[in-house]
């Protein structure tokens, strides 16, 4: 009964979060465009699926991914093995990024546009190679980004100076990178902070900061996602310069 009650609360919370979006769409469709909603039954059913999916996703995060991420980080901290912690951080960043649906969509779209623009051959093999190269480049960058973020937590380094230095590097690479890859690189930094990567990486940072004496989870536990957004932009621009 407690689980059912919590699930219903999550459902109502998801519905409340989506109500502003629903209200905006309804206002512009009915008041501004003054047209009826097409396929009203289908739209309502789709909204129900969206709310249900979002509810199950949030419920699953709170029940499974957040606890296991925090517990594993704390276990690694107690074990005292920096090497294994770094390997785990890299594998976590790489694995979650490869599995990101948003990254797959962006990589496939970028490959199609590159083929149409004549940058690569317009065949399935060339497009698959380009898309997979982009995906694995981003995944590698996120793996190294999470390692860097974990090392920052262990050493207690100040995040602002690292982020400022990183974005200076992004600006410098933007000057030399091919124009065709710059937009893709910037978007790649955004798609890494999506449904799969964010929960596990956030749980890792908070759990690790909670387990290390002298670290504040609020100050030191967050910030890993910033590295996961920053490094992909740099790596993808370097990838563009290499294949160019």
């Amino acid at each position: 009964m407690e689980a059912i009650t919590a699930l219903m609360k999550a459902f109502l919370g998801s519905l409340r979060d989506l109500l502003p979006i629903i209200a905006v769409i309804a206002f512009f469709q009915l008041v501004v465009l003054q047209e009826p909603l097409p396929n009203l039954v289908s739209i309502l059913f789709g909204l129900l699926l969206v709310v249900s999916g979002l509810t199950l996703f949030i419920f699953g995060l709170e029940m499974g991914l957040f606890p296991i991420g925090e517990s594993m980080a704390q276990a690694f901290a107690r074990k005292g093995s920096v090497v294994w912690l770094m390997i785990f951080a890299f594998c976590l960043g790489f694995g979650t990024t490869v599995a990101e649906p948003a990254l797959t969509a962006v990589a496939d779209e970028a490959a199609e546009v590159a083929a149409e623009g004549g940058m690569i051959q317009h065949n399935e093999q060339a497009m698959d190679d380009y898309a997979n190269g982009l995906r694995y480049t981003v995944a590698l960058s996120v793996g190294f980004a999470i390692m860097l973020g974990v090392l920052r937590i262990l050493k207690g380094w100040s995040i602002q100076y690292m982020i400022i230095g990183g974005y200076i590097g992004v600006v410098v690479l933007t000057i030399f990178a091919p124009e065709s890859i710059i937009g893709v690189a910037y978007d790649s930094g955004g798609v890494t902070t999506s449904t799969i990567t964010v929960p596990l990486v956030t749980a890792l940072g908070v759990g690790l900061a909670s387990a290390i004496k002298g670290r504040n989870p609020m100050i030191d536990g967050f910030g890993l996602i910033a590295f996961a957004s920053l490094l992909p932009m740099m790596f993808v621009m370097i990838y563009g310069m290499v294949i160019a």
Side-chain angles (χ1 to χ4, degrees), residues 65-75 200 202-204 206-208 210-211:
L65 290 186
F66 277 129
I68 193 172
E70 292 184 11
S71 64
M72 290 188 71
Q74 292 172 358
L200 281 171
T202 303
L204 171 66
V206 173
L208 187 61
S210 301

Side-chain angles (χ1 to χ4, degrees), residues 16-164:
R16 181 195 62 221
D17 293 338
L18 288 175
L19 277 178
I21 302 175
I22 297 172
V24 167
I25 293 174
F27 174 79
F28 280 93
Q29 182 72 24
L30 300 176
V31 178
V32 178
L33 298 177
Q34 296 183 350
E35 295 182 2
L37 290 170
N39 303 320
L40 181 59
V41 176
S42 177
I43 290 175
L44 291 176
F45 182 68
L47 286 174
L48 177 62
L49 293 179
V50 170
V51 175
S52 301
L54 185 60
T55 300
L56 293 174
F57 175 70
I58 294 174
F59 197 68
L61 289 181
E62 295 176 351
M63 181 179 291
L65 290 186
F66 277 129
I68 193 172
E70 292 184 11
S71 64
M72 290 188 71
Q74 292 172 358
F76 274 113
R78 289 193 300 269
K79 189 177 179 63
S81 176
V82 177
V83 174
W84 280 112
L85 178 59
M86 289 297 177
I87 294 174
F88 172 70
F90 176 84
C91 292
L92 181 68
F94 182 89
T96 55
T97 305
V98 166
E100 279 291 353
L103 177 59
T104 302
V106 168
D108 290 342
E109 189 69 23
E112 185 175 343
V113 173
E116 292 176 353
M119 290 181 291
I120 59 175
Q121 295 181 358
H122 202 295
N123 58 64
E124 187 175 348
Q125 182 63 46
M127 292 169 63
D128 286 343
D129 290 343
Y130 184 90
N132 288 330
L134 187 60
R135 283 181 62 207
Y136 288 119
T137 298
V138 174
L140 282 171
S141 68
V142 175
F144 284 115
I146 303 306
M147 288 179 63
L148 181 62
V150 168
L151 187 62
R152 181 193 71 83
I153 295 174
L154 295 176
K155 298 294 185 180
W157 294 335
S158 179
I159 188 172
Q160 56 264 37
Y161 299 113
M162 299 178 70
I163 296 297
I164 291 171

Side-chain angles (χ1 to χ4, degrees), residues 1-13 55-56 59 63:
M1 287 301 297
E2 291 181 0
I4 295 175
T5 303
L7 186 61
M8 289 304 300
K9 287 182 179 179
F11 182 85
L12 293 175
T55 300
L56 293 174
F59 197 68
M63 181 179 291

